[in-house]
Amino acid sequence: MTGEYKSIFGNVFSENSIGMMKDMSIIGSIGGSLTSMAGTYYATQAQKDALSYQEQQLNFEATVADMNAALVESGIAESRDIIRKNIGATQMQDRERIEADRNRAAAGNVKVDTGSARERTEAQNLMSDLNAMSQRVSGEIKHKGMQQQASNLQVSASMSRGSASNLRATASSMSPA
């Protein structure tokens, strides 16, 4: 039993196997680099896609805000027309009532163009004019608030478009390669 001692690791650490391990290590390193590059490529592409989606969302929000601003402005115009018509109808009713009062007074032999009868008619005319002015002022206060709302919507639309433009520029500057 005299023989040479042979280690079980003898072939593992031979020059040939060490060279093979070096080659496998280089191949593994290249494979890892390729995998990392592919992961980076797809992550960058996914980020570009996400930015593009956000850009589309912001452009949509801007379009909706513009449409809502136009609806508010249209509502202001409609409201002004309604107020004008209401004032006209109310003043016509006031004038008819005033004339009916004058006719009743004249039928009772009251001189309607002098003294307290005249003052009463003037007071009724003044009340009618004050009522009309009050309706106009109330309407304009309401319209001012509506105009502010429309302006806020337009600013929101502009801000959304600006943000969308920034996202588009950021996405276009990203290169997965």
Side-chain angles (χ1 to χ4, degrees):
M1 278 218 325
T2 56
E4 226 176 274
Y5 172 75
K6 291 198 173 201
S7 168
I8 58 171
F9 299 109
N11 289 335
V12 173
F13 295 112
S14 70
E15 280 186 40
N16 190 25
S17 63
I18 290 175
M20 247 196 315
M21 281 191 234
K22 284 181 184 178
D23 291 344
M24 287 177 61
S25 174
I26 291 172
I27 290 171
S29 179
I30 290 171
S33 294
L34 290 174
T35 302
S36 176
M37 285 172 44
T40 301
Y41 173 86
Y42 287 113
T44 304
Q45 188 61 45
Q47 191 174 7
K48 279 182 79 167
D49 292 344
L51 290 174
S52 177
Y53 174 76
Q54 287 175 336
E55 174 201 353
Q56 291 172 357
Q57 278 296 114
L58 287 169
N59 281 326
F60 175 75
E61 288 173 15
T63 300
V64 169
D66 279 338
M67 289 170 35
N68 286 337
L71 286 173
V72 169
E73 288 173 349
S74 175
I76 291 170
E78 287 177 25
S79 179
R80 282 194 171 120
D81 287 343
I82 290 169
I83 289 171
R84 245 188 316 274
K85 288 176 184 174
N86 286 343
I87 289 172
T90 301
Q91 285 193 317
M92 190 166 50
Q93 290 170 350
D94 290 345
R95 298 294 182 250
E96 288 173 356
R97 187 176 32 79
I98 291 168
E99 283 304 312
D101 285 350
R102 285 174 53 111
N103 289 338
R104 273 194 303 277
N109 286 333
V110 174
K111 291 185 178 182
V112 292
D113 293 331
T114 61
S116 63
R118 180 177 177 188
E119 289 173 2
R120 178 184 164 101
T121 301
E122 288 174 359
Q124 288 174 324
N125 285 330
L126 179 62
M127 288 305 295
S128 177
D129 291 343
L130 287 174
N131 185 25
M133 185 172 62
S134 175
Q135 288 179 9
R136 280 189 200 102
V137 169
S138 294
E140 286 308 312
I141 290 170
K142 174 183 165 188
H143 299 147
K144 184 72 173 167
M146 291 172 74
Q147 188 59 52
Q148 184 64 46
Q149 181 185 11
S151 294
N152 290 345
L153 287 166
Q154 290 166 341
V155 166
S156 175
S158 294
M159 301 262 306
S160 291
R161 279 196 188 82
S163 295
S165 177
N166 288 341
L167 288 174
R168 184 174 36 259
T170 300
S172 68
S173 72
M174 296 172 77
S175 174

